[in-house]
Amino acid sequence: MDPLTNIQVAIRNSIDIFYFACIAPLHIFFSEDGAMEKKAFLGTWKDIPAANEIQYTIENVECTSDGISTKMGQNNAFTVAKRTLEGQDMIYQSIKLSNGIWACGDQADPW
């Protein structure tokens, strides 16, 4: 199966038509209006079935929780809340894709 971010391109000029495909980074599909209110985030978070949860471990991240929030915010992944839980910094974020699909995420240290 092709990645969902596989973009097919055609460029036409006076010589010919050129066709190619490229894979776009997912964050270019993040909408600028993806900031979710805390109440809406909590309601959405609770409604997500456990079967839809996906976990990844990202290693060798040399950044603080504030740095991660800033970088993600620059790419339209908005921090809804931060807290410390059992000694770990937790960041909760919302994302809205350009097709209207919402995503909720959390990140936990250690960074």
Side-chain angles (χ1 to χ4, degrees):
M1 180 172 151
D2 287 335
L4 295 175
T5 58
N6 191 16
I7 298 174
Q8 296 179 354
V9 181
I11 297 177
R12 183 179 189 172
N13 62 20
S14 60
I15 300 171
D16 203 351
I17 301 174
F18 300 94
Y19 299 94
F20 61 94
C22 58
I23 297 176
L26 185 60
H27 75 273
I28 70 166
F29 299 106
F30 294 178
S31 177
E32 292 178 358
D33 64 344
M36 200 181 273
E37 296 293 326
K38 284 184 183 182
K39 280 186 174 183
F41 182 89
L42 286 172
T44 304
W45 187 267
K46 290 176 184 177
D47 289 341
I48 299 172
N52 289 10
E53 183 176 322
I54 300 172
Q55 294 183 11
Y56 293 99
T57 300
I58 302 171
E59 298 183 15
N60 301 322
V61 176
E62 297 181 19
C63 196
T64 65
S65 59
D66 289 334
I68 290 171
S69 290
T70 300
K71 183 67 173 176
M72 296 291 283
Q74 291 168 346
N75 290 284
N76 295 330
F78 300 95
T79 299
V80 176
K82 291 183 192 179
R83 70 178 180 158
T84 301
L85 182 65
E86 298 176 3
Q88 286 189 314
D89 288 337
M90 300 289 295
I91 304 170
Y92 300 90
Q93 295 183 312
S94 65
I95 298 167
K96 183 179 178 186
L97 299 175
S98 57
N99 63 358
I101 294 174
W102 286 88
C104 297
D106 67 339
Q107 292 87 38
D109 77 348
W111 327 110

